Amino acid sequence: MADRKTISYQDIRDEVVARIQNRRWPQGTVLPTELELAAEFGCARATVNRALRELAERGIVDRKRKSGTRVALSPTKQAKLEIAVVRQTVEEMNAAYRYSLVSRDLMACPPWLQAKIGLTDPGQVLHLCCMHFADDRPFQFEERWINVQAVPHVIEADFLSVGPNEWLLAEVPFSDAEVAFSAVPASASLSEFLAVPTGTPLFQMERTTWFRSEPVTFVRMTFHQGYQMRTRY
Amino acid sequence: MADRKTISYQDIRDEVVARIQNRRWPQGTVLPTELELAAEFGCARATVNRALRELAERGIVDRKRKSGTRVALSPTKQAKLEIAVVRQTVEEMNAAYRYSLVSRDLMACPPWLQAKIGLTDPGQVLHLCCMHFADDRPFQFEERWINVQAVPHVIEADFLSVGPNEWLLAEVPFSDAEVAFSAVPASASLSEFLAVPTGTPLFQMERTTWFRSEPVTFVRMTFHQGYQMRTRY
DNA sequence: CAGTGGTCTAGACCACCCT
DNA sequence: GGGTGGTCTAGACCACTGC
């Protein structure tokens, strides 16, 4: 350690990671207590605490009261996926974004959807189909159902110029969501919208969204052939 | 707010989220300063700081020195994906896990791989193919290349009973990785290993791993038909 | 019961960056 | 230049949990 004036929590965090990678503290090892580490590094316990808390969040160590901090055994690593709005994703590729509404109809909530999102009252849903283009080439086909009861004035939105994703984000900020990724074959309609042969493997993302425990929307986003979702961790 | 003895950072965090969802603080709004919030909630600034820092990590607010804290405009939401070892994934489905080594050969690093993982010296790589089963049904096909230079004694491992993933995790703990998810058609060999017709859409995950900036391994994991990766956020 | 992490406080200094 | 968040300190009390 450099003999700087003050030790930062990042110094401690990095040093702990180094010792784990060095095998000085192999997997399963119980680390010294916060007090001991604070003494070793010559800093306050709060500083050690912050460093170790961050490592615990990353899944690198496990912490328990009384038993202490130990190096994690099965490193269930956590990847942070940044899920942005389609427009942003397209623009980050330096491509021109274009949005187009395909269809919009109000309907009774179908039973499968009712079960899927856990809706008790069989109310109405707004059913939307949209296309997103990058440089005028198909990028994503979006099929969405919105729970009218949860967002009543969705009926007044025409979704001609603004996509439902962005509209909802402004309307229902910071909701909870559950996502599922999978590979699906292009159906007849998907093959037309995304300009690929029927049966082509396509990357799909499904998402159900709740606002204060009330289901708001379910969306199925199917990407163009060859799309990859990437992240670092 | 309940008139409890002390205000926790979670109280503040939840209250701030509530005010954002209430539209009391619409998107783009500049929040009161930490000092002002501390005064309002009757707590120390550090407590407010921790609450707001957590919200900033979640992407709900943006913080900048001098300009202050404001409600995020484009909520690039972050999903935390827990990427576990295959065995763990299978066992969490209450299925019996079985592993099988398909092939193992030492070879010169092919140029495409050299370019992909950013390897400067054209050294040797260990090329492995493995199968993972859940209740004796194909679950995942794994094709992997390991940089021998980075992990020399990988040559002594036979990978007959322990898969390369678990071996590497014990060997090279907590490395950095880059992952990409996509949908691919089943190739001739994939169709045999995963028992599906050729061309079937399959979910695939590719991962490159570095340990202290040195490339360690590149792996391509292809899942059985219909596999879904799920998460909440 | 006692040890460990979890959290809060009151105060301080610093670094960044907008005006 | 000055205001804001970023961080550290020294001390305190609390909550959980293994012994």
Side-chain angles (χ1 to χ4, degrees):
Chain A
M1 302 300 302
D3 46 354
R4 231 175 307 162
K5 293 168 202 166
T6 65
I7 298 293
S8 77
Y9 78 93
Q10 303 172 10
D11 294 333
I12 299 178
R13 181 196 59 194
D14 294 346
E15 175 63 19
V16 170
V17 169
R19 289 186 189 177
I20 292 173
Q21 294 188 330
N22 281 343
R23 309 316 197 81
R24 177 164 161 190
W25 288 337
Q27 295 179 27
T29 309
V30 177
L31 268 59
T33 67
E34 295 189 344
L35 232 38
E36 290 167 346
L37 286 173
E40 181 193 338
F41 289 107
C43 67
R45 182 166 82 93
T47 308
V48 175
N49 180 279
R50 168 131 190 220
L52 293 184
R53 180 158 33 90
E54 202 171 297
L55 294 180
E57 272 169 19
R58 281 206 248 160
I60 292 185
V61 298
D62 288 327
R63 316 195 76 191
K64 264 188 210 165
R65 297 183 185 187
K66 169 72 179 176
S67 36
T69 305
R70 60 180 60 221
V71 182
L73 286 171
S74 63
T76 296
K77 301 205 57 178
Q78 297 182 339
K80 275 194 183 173
L81 269 187
E82 302 213 335
I83 302 179
V85 186
V86 198
R87 179 170 52 73
Q88 198 176 319
T89 309
V90 170
E91 285 170 352
E92 276 168 10
M93 298 161 45
N94 291 319
Y97 172 72
R98 187 163 68 80
Y99 159 80
S100 170
L101 179 66
V102 174
S103 70
R104 177 188 187 285
D105 59 298
L106 204 58
M107 58 194 280
C109 181
W112 67 266
L113 181 60
Q114 216 174 304
K116 179 147 210 133
I117 66 179
L119 192 60
T120 46
D121 299 337
Q124 277 191 315
V125 290
L126 188 65
H127 177 226
L128 299 164
C129 291
C130 327
M131 273 299 298
H132 304 270
F133 297 87
D135 280 341
D136 277 326
R137 289 185 316 188
F139 183 80
Q140 181 197 96
F141 178 77
E142 172 183 356
E143 184 170 16
R144 181 185 290 270
W145 294 263
I146 301 174
N147 178 11
V148 174
Q149 198 179 331
V151 204
H153 58 295
V154 72
I155 295 181
E156 296 150 23
D158 61 14
F159 297 113
L160 290 178
S161 57
V162 176
N165 197 347
E166 296 184 58
W167 187 89
L168 279 167
L169 276 174
E171 203 64 24
V172 186
F174 311 113
S175 39
D176 294 317
E178 193 174 298
V179 286
F181 306 96
S182 58
V184 299
S187 64
S189 76
L190 276 177
S191 73
E192 286 184 26
F193 282 115
L194 295 172
V196 291
T198 307
T200 303
L202 298 171
F203 185 81
Q204 190 172 82
M205 170 173 160
E206 291 184 342
R207 180 169 57 200
T208 309
T209 304
W210 291 267
F211 183 66
R212 299 183 166 167
S213 309
E214 187 183 22
V216 173
T217 183
F218 171 71
V219 60
R220 187 176 285 147
M221 290 163 280
T222 313
F223 291 82
H224 69 273
Q225 184 177 12
Y227 175 77
Q228 284 195 330
M229 193 176 64
R230 301 173 160 282
T231 189
R232 270 189 96 85
Y233 73 107
Chain B
M1 305 293 301
D3 47 352
R4 232 176 306 163
K5 292 168 200 166
T6 64
I7 298 295
S8 77
Y9 77 93
Q10 303 171 10
D11 294 334
I12 299 177
R13 181 196 58 195
D14 295 346
E15 175 62 20
V16 170
V17 169
R19 290 187 187 175
I20 293 175
Q21 295 188 330
N22 279 342
R23 310 315 196 81
R24 178 164 161 188
W25 288 336
Q27 294 179 26
T29 309
V30 177
L31 268 58
T33 68
E34 295 189 345
L35 232 37
E36 290 167 345
L37 286 173
E40 180 192 340
F41 288 106
C43 67
R45 183 166 80 96
T47 307
V48 175
N49 181 278
R50 169 131 189 221
L52 293 183
R53 180 156 34 89
E54 205 172 294
L55 294 180
E57 274 169 17
R58 282 206 249 159
I60 293 186
V61 299
D62 288 328
R63 314 195 77 191
K64 264 190 209 162
R65 293 179 194 199
K66 169 69 180 176
S67 36
T69 305
R70 60 180 61 218
V71 182
L73 286 173
S74 63
T76 296
K77 300 204 59 174
Q78 298 182 339
K80 275 193 181 174
L81 268 187
E82 301 212 336
I83 301 179
V85 186
V86 198
R87 179 171 53 73
Q88 199 176 317
T89 310
V90 170
E91 285 170 352
E92 276 170 8
M93 297 162 46
N94 291 318
Y97 172 71
R98 190 164 67 80
Y99 159 80
S100 172
L101 179 66
V102 173
S103 72
R104 178 189 187 284
D105 60 296
L106 205 58
M107 58 192 281
C109 182
W112 67 266
L113 182 59
Q114 215 174 303
K116 179 147 212 131
I117 66 179
L119 191 59
T120 46
D121 301 336
Q124 280 189 312
V125 290
L126 187 64
H127 177 224
L128 300 165
C129 291
C130 325
M131 271 301 296
H132 304 270
F133 297 87
D135 280 341
D136 278 325
R137 290 187 314 191
F139 184 79
Q140 180 196 96
F141 179 78
E142 172 183 356
E143 184 169 16
R144 183 185 288 271
W145 293 262
I146 302 174
N147 177 12
V148 174
Q149 197 179 332
V151 203
H153 59 295
V154 73
I155 296 181
E156 297 149 23
D158 60 12
F159 295 114
L160 290 176
S161 57
V162 176
N165 197 345
E166 295 185 59
W167 188 89
L168 279 167
L169 275 174
E171 203 65 26
V172 185
F174 311 111
S175 38
D176 294 317
E178 193 174 298
V179 286
F181 305 96
S182 58
V184 299
S187 64
S189 76
L190 276 177
S191 73
E192 286 184 26
F193 282 114
L194 295 172
V196 292
T198 308
T200 302
L202 298 171
F203 185 81
Q204 190 173 80
M205 169 173 160
E206 290 184 341
R207 179 171 55 199
T208 310
T209 304
W210 292 267
F211 184 64
R212 297 179 168 172
S213 308
E214 186 182 21
V216 173
T217 185
F218 171 69
V219 59
R220 187 175 285 146
M221 290 163 281
T222 314
F223 291 82
H224 69 273
Q225 183 179 13
Y227 174 78
Q228 284 196 329
M229 195 176 63
R230 298 173 161 282
T231 189
R232 270 191 95 85
Y233 71 109

